[in-house]
Amino acid sequence: MPVIKGLEWTFDTVASTYEKFRPGYTDDLYKMLFDYIALDESSHVVEVGIGGGQATLPILQTGCSLTAVEYGENFSKLCEKKFEEYKNFSVITRKFEDVAFPDSQYELVYSASAFHWVPEDVGYSKVYAMLKSGGVFARFANHPYRDKSNPVLSAEIDKLYSKYYCAYYGKDMKTETEYSEEQAIHRAQIAEKYGFIDIRHGMFYRTRTFSAKEYIALLGTYSDHIAMEEKIRTEFFAKIEETINQYGGVFVVYDTIDLQLARKP
């Protein structure tokens, strides 16, 4: 889904649904991360934008001290409860760019599907300052793509997006494309501008299958959908649900997950 700046607040209004329907990340991604940096009980880590904690447990399980920074109060409370058994976990409820962190104190700073909300120059410069020499910044995100296995259904949903979503936001309907490796490489190379070295990237793939009602619940966690006028959004979602049920009753999402890794000299 496209990012519309200023809609960061929307996610916190659907925290429990977000936690339920937004996916975690693949084992292969964490293997690549942990091959790049080893974490243990002596490590100090910051997660930027924890959301529903989709990317938190594998990091916590290394025994590291993990501080999450989360703008949404509901998300913070949800994750405090979710990870209450981990004494090495804490949450700061503020925007990442507004929190003062000590310089050169962290082995890892990472962000999963959240760093695009932080202004680039502020975010990368801040992370660089926080990291110890040899410390790592890991940025990863999930990029869902519509159902390739049912092109007729996808075409019908495109018509609904044109009628409701594009009309609401005053946008022209654009052909959707899958997230590419070229985009992942470009994103990885951003870190070089801020002094990072040893730049790497990885690509990971999976599919998820939803019933019509489940897919509508997922759409209800996207910021630009949440921000639509309720009456229009309700009708839009009802039409999508009706269309999915008309064309087989399931919707398959094709996920591309990219991981960018960079090291402070």
Side-chain angles (χ1 to χ4, degrees):
M1 293 297 110
V3 172
I4 301 177
K5 292 297 184 181
L7 295 186
E8 298 94 326
W9 60 270
T10 57
F11 299 114
D12 201 50
T13 66
V14 291
S16 60
T17 305
Y18 186 105
E19 193 271 339
K20 180 179 179 180
F21 284 100
R22 286 296 186 102
Y25 299 88
T26 63
D27 291 342
D28 287 348
L29 182 149
Y30 291 109
K31 182 180 186 306
M32 182 174 175
L33 173 60
F34 294 141
D35 284 346
Y36 188 80
I37 180 171
L39 300 175
D40 57 29
E41 290 83 357
S42 68
S43 304
H44 292 83
V45 175
V46 171
E47 179 176 3
V48 180
I50 190 172
Q54 281 80 3
T56 307
L57 187 59
I59 310 296
L60 273 178
Q61 288 175 332
T62 67
C64 70
S65 296
L66 194 159
T67 300
V69 183
E70 173 53 50
Y71 182 42
E73 184 176 345
N74 291 326
F75 275 133
S76 292
K77 291 178 180 177
L78 184 154
C79 288
E80 284 175 346
K81 180 66 175 176
K82 185 175 183 178
F83 303 116
E84 63 182 351
E85 67 182 273
Y86 290 90
K87 305 309 178 186
N88 53 329
F89 175 75
S90 61
V91 184
I92 298 171
T93 309
R94 293 179 69 187
K95 284 188 176 183
F96 173 66
E97 49 268 49
D98 295 337
V99 181
F101 287 100
D103 290 347
S104 305
Q105 293 297 309
Y106 300 93
E107 279 76 18
L108 172 67
V109 178
Y110 77 102
S111 186
S113 298
F115 208 68
H116 54 279
W117 295 109
V118 182
E120 179 190 305
D121 56 340
V122 175
Y124 279 89
S125 299
K126 190 181 186 79
V127 170
Y128 188 92
M130 291 167 60
L131 290 171
K132 296 178 177 180
S133 177
V136 169
F137 176 46
R139 175 178 180 172
F140 45 105
N142 185 58
H143 307 275
Y145 185 70
R146 64 189 183 184
D147 193 339
K148 295 186 290 186
S149 62
N150 195 338
V152 176
L153 172 58
S154 292
E156 291 300 315
I157 288 181
D158 278 350
K159 293 176 185 177
L160 294 174
Y161 267 86
S162 179
K163 179 179 179 180
Y164 291 96
Y165 179 94
C166 293
Y168 182 81
Y169 283 111
K171 296 182 175 183
D172 294 328
M173 188 70 184
K174 294 182 179 179
T175 301
E176 187 180 0
T177 58
E178 285 189 89
Y179 189 82
S180 68
E181 187 159 15
E182 289 73 21
Q183 288 172 288
I185 292 170
H186 175 75
R187 180 171 286 178
Q189 290 172 340
I190 294 171
E192 289 183 324
K193 296 192 295 182
Y194 298 91
F196 289 92
I197 61 171
D198 193 16
I199 309 296
R200 304 184 195 180
H201 79 282
M203 303 285 284
F204 311 91
Y205 305 92
R206 68 176 170 210
T207 59
R208 292 176 288 148
T209 301
F210 297 89
S211 69
K213 284 192 178 299
E214 288 171 339
Y215 187 63
I216 293 307
L218 174 67
L219 291 182
T221 69
Y222 291 129
S223 61
D224 50 348
H225 290 56
I226 299 168
M228 293 175 72
E229 183 182 328
E230 183 176 359
K231 182 179 178 181
I232 296 172
R233 183 180 68 246
T234 300
E235 183 176 334
F236 177 36
F237 282 9
K239 291 293 185 181
I240 291 177
E241 182 176 351
E242 178 184 315
T243 301
I244 292 172
N245 283 326
Q246 183 181 350
Y247 290 92
V250 297
F251 193 89
V252 181
V253 173
Y254 290 74
D255 288 333
T256 299
I257 305 169
D258 62 329
L259 167 64
Q260 289 82 29
L261 297 168
R263 194 180 306 277
K264 182 176 178 177

